[in-house]
Amino acid sequence: DVADQFGLIAHSAGGHAALHMLDRIGCFRARFAALLDPVDGLDPFGLEKGFLLPVGVHPEVKLNFTTPVALIISGHASEAPHYPKALRWPACAPADRAGMHWYASLDSPKWLVNFSDYGHADLLNEAIPHGFSDHICASGPGASTSAGREAYRIGLAAIVVALGQALLPSVPLAPKLAQADFLRWLEQPATALA
């Protein structure tokens, strides 16, 4: 039955929407959520105050769902782009509403994956010029080349595939690998499948 064979994948404010759906509406048929730099709120300025959690890190406040979550953050997401300070352009994923803001409040199986050399928009396809996305969100040194950005996109895809292979029962597994192998890869990617 394909009705129970799906995961949620979201980036930025889309993570807010996915977590809202899981927490407030209830989407218990989702087998996992892969959240890429999810931001609480609907804009980086914080003008829209429809936050799911209080601003900051509050481990005492738990989100109301048990769906396994891979929280995937980029190391430079909470940095403002290099505009003149007079413009006061915010970070695309402000630290008080992204990253660890979510992790402490997840009361479900969870994994934290940090792509420390990348920024919030470094996952965008090559069709969008790198310089353009770097003016909107801070970029990391790993994205300074086309090969670096491609490696980031491949890494993100590998996480989603690992989650699907581990948590969707009817998805055929890669030869000779068990579901536990994919979860181990999430916890220790450098050694788990070596």
Side-chain angles (χ1 to χ4, degrees), residues 8-28 30 32-42 50-53 62-72 97-110:
L8 297 172
I9 304 168
H11 175 248
S12 195
H16 169 92
L19 287 166
H20 183 271
M21 186 168 61
L22 288 168
D23 182 62
R24 305 280 168 85
I25 299 170
C27 187
F28 304 109
F32 68 85
L35 305 175
L36 291 67
D37 276 333
V39 178
D40 201 354
L42 303 175
F51 304 129
L52 285 175
L53 297 172
K62 298 296 182 194
L63 293 170
N64 186 32
F65 63 88
T66 58
T67 304
V69 174
L71 180 61
I72 306 163
R97 293 184 283 123
M100 297 311 290
H101 166 78
W102 295 113
Y103 192 76
S105 295
L106 292 171
D107 201 22
S108 61
K110 59 187 175 182

Side-chain angles (χ1 to χ4, degrees), residues 25-171:
I25 299 170
C27 187
F28 304 109
R29 297 177 90 167
R31 303 292 251 172
F32 68 85
L35 305 175
L36 291 67
D37 276 333
V39 178
D40 201 354
L42 303 175
D43 67 277
F45 293 94
L47 299 174
E48 173 62 46
K49 303 296 184 197
F51 304 129
L52 285 175
L53 297 172
V55 172
V57 177
H58 298 277
E60 72 281 3
V61 178
K62 298 296 182 194
L63 293 170
N64 186 32
F65 63 88
T66 58
T67 304
V69 174
L71 180 61
I72 306 163
I73 60 175
S74 58
H76 295 268
S78 62
E79 297 174 11
H82 306 290
Y83 279 131
K85 297 220 183 288
L87 293 178
R88 297 184 183 187
W89 193 265
C92 286
D96 64 348
R97 293 184 283 123
M100 297 311 290
H101 166 78
W102 295 113
Y103 192 76
S105 295
L106 292 171
D107 201 22
S108 61
K110 59 187 175 182
W111 298 270
L112 176 65
V113 182
N114 184 355
F115 284 90
S116 56
D117 285 343
Y118 296 92
H120 190 69
D122 288 341
L123 55 79
L124 296 176
N125 289 334
E126 295 298 319
I128 298 172
H130 178 60
F132 176 76
S133 63
D134 192 29
H135 283 50
I136 296 170
C137 299
S139 188
S144 62
T145 66
S146 180
R149 292 187 298 281
E150 181 66 12
Y152 182 37
R153 289 189 290 271
I154 289 170
L156 294 170
I159 291 167
V160 174
V161 168
L163 282 167
Q165 292 288 294
L167 301 172
L168 297 176
S170 68
V171 173

